[in-house]
Amino acid sequence: MSNVFSPGELIGLLRAERMGRALEEAICYRAVLLGITRASMNTQSFISEARGYSSYLMTAATLGAMGYCYMWWKSTKRHLSKRLENLDWKLDEYKEMSKLIADDVNDVKSNLN
């Protein structure tokens, strides 16, 4: 068999099986689970120490998310209030304009009579 992989190289299981079929040879491998396992949680490390603080971490994450939502709501509320103020100002402007137009129409009507 050719040296396709180095001894001890970590590769995906599907890749090893595909390479074995392509070479038409049996590839000897040992399956290794990568990631956080129960054994690694029982060893002395940062992750195992963090288990005791998980309630604090969840509380902090929840408060962070709530703070983000509050700030988003506050900016949305400010944005909407500005738009309502602009709408109110435009309505007053259009009311004034419609009164002026009505007065002009009445003047033209009285001039025609």
Side-chain angles (χ1 to χ4, degrees):
M1 176 172 98
S2 62
N3 291 334
V4 176
F5 301 115
S6 302
E9 182 180 354
L10 295 175
I11 60 168
L13 179 63
L14 294 175
R15 184 176 173 206
E17 290 175 352
R18 275 196 312 261
M19 190 58 70
R21 283 193 300 271
L23 294 174
E24 297 177 356
E25 294 180 21
I27 294 180
C28 296
Y29 60 88
R30 180 175 54 123
V32 176
L33 178 65
L34 298 176
I36 300 173
T37 62
R38 185 176 300 274
S40 68
M41 291 297 287
N42 289 332
T43 61
Q44 193 70 19
S45 69
F46 168 75
I47 295 170
S48 63
E49 293 298 321
R51 272 190 312 180
Y53 298 111
S54 63
S55 61
Y56 300 115
L57 293 174
M58 283 301 278
T59 304
T62 303
L63 288 174
M66 288 173 58
Y68 175 79
C69 290
Y70 172 74
M71 294 304 289
W72 176 83
W73 173 76
K74 191 174 177 181
S75 67
T76 302
K77 182 179 164 187
R78 185 179 312 129
H79 176 73
L80 288 176
S81 65
K82 283 182 182 179
R83 289 189 66 161
L84 286 174
E85 285 175 12
N86 288 341
L87 180 64
D88 190 36
W89 178 77
K90 285 182 181 181
L91 283 175
D92 289 340
E93 187 178 288
Y94 286 131
K95 241 186 227 183
E96 250 181 67
M97 193 181 304
S98 65
K99 281 183 185 178
L100 291 173
I101 291 172
D103 289 342
D104 287 345
V105 167
N106 287 335
D107 286 342
V108 170
K109 278 184 182 179
S110 65
N111 287 341
L112 290 174
N113 292 333

